[in-house]
Amino acid sequence: MTDLNHVVLIGRLTKDLGTDERSFGYVANGQARANVSIAVNRSKKTGDQWTDEVNYFDITIWGKTAENLKPYLTKGKMIAVDGYLKQDRWEKDGQKMSKVSVVANNVQLLGGKGDAAPGQAVPGAPKFQPNNAPAGGGYSSESYGDTGSDFPEDIPF
């Protein structure tokens, strides 16, 4: 039987990426590595009152993902992380130490502090254009009859 080690977190970055040497760099083989920390809020009910509980998680992002996200990973930015837990163990002054962190397989930028209003582009963010988009950059939908809508009246299933 195979064990399962999978984690999905949504939280806000606690500081800008690249503020110190340990947060972004390249390892000996030339691969990029980004170390970030996110704060994940959780509400829990204690008696009749709701209280907020904050947990902090260290995230490691590797390769092209780390390089591509570097300009966008700023303090307060909300991100979704899909990855796995990794435990590092070492000994310091005869004392055994360990730390659990998250290694990201996938990182998605979500809304957050400093973002543009809904429907507006974030300055400097890459623009998505579908492969089948017309040369003019607009998006055209295929018509399904004279309903005046992009959706057919009768769905054939």
Side-chain angles (χ1 to χ4, degrees), residues 16-36:
D16 293 346
L17 179 63
T19 55
D20 60 18
E21 292 178 11
R22 293 183 353 190
S23 69
F24 185 86
Y26 292 89
V27 294
N29 67 2
Q31 188 176 27
R33 176 208 28 85
N35 290 325
V36 297

Side-chain angles (χ1 to χ4, degrees), residues 27-153:
V27 294
N29 67 2
Q31 188 176 27
R33 176 208 28 85
N35 290 325
V36 297
S37 179
I38 63 171
V40 178
N41 294 316
R42 179 176 169 251
S43 294
K44 66 179 189 175
K45 194 169 187 176
T46 308
D48 289 339
Q49 299 219 342
W50 286 93
T51 58
D52 286 333
E53 177 181 272
V54 180
N55 290 289
Y56 298 93
F57 297 94
D58 292 327
I59 313 289
T60 303
I61 307 167
W62 290 97
K64 288 288 186 188
T65 304
E67 290 177 328
N68 292 337
L69 289 176
K70 185 179 179 187
Y72 309 108
L73 296 180
T74 57
K75 183 176 180 176
K77 178 71 177 171
M78 184 177 280
I79 64 171
V81 178
D82 180 356
Y84 60 93
L85 298 175
K86 181 177 185 287
Q87 182 179 26
D88 293 319
R89 296 179 186 174
W90 68 95
E91 195 170 313
K92 181 178 179 181
D93 301 328
Q95 184 86 8
K96 291 185 178 183
M97 312 283 275
S98 79
K99 178 182 177 180
V100 176
S101 62
V102 177
V103 178
N105 290 328
N106 186 16
V107 177
Q108 292 184 4
L109 301 175
L110 303 175
K113 183 178 177 184
D115 289 347
Q120 293 179 340
V122 176
K127 293 179 175 47
F128 172 75
Q129 181 173 348
N131 290 338
N132 61 350
Y139 181 81
S140 64
S141 61
E142 187 176 332
S143 176
Y144 291 101
D146 295 330
T147 63
S149 171
D150 287 345
F151 298 102
E153 291 291 295

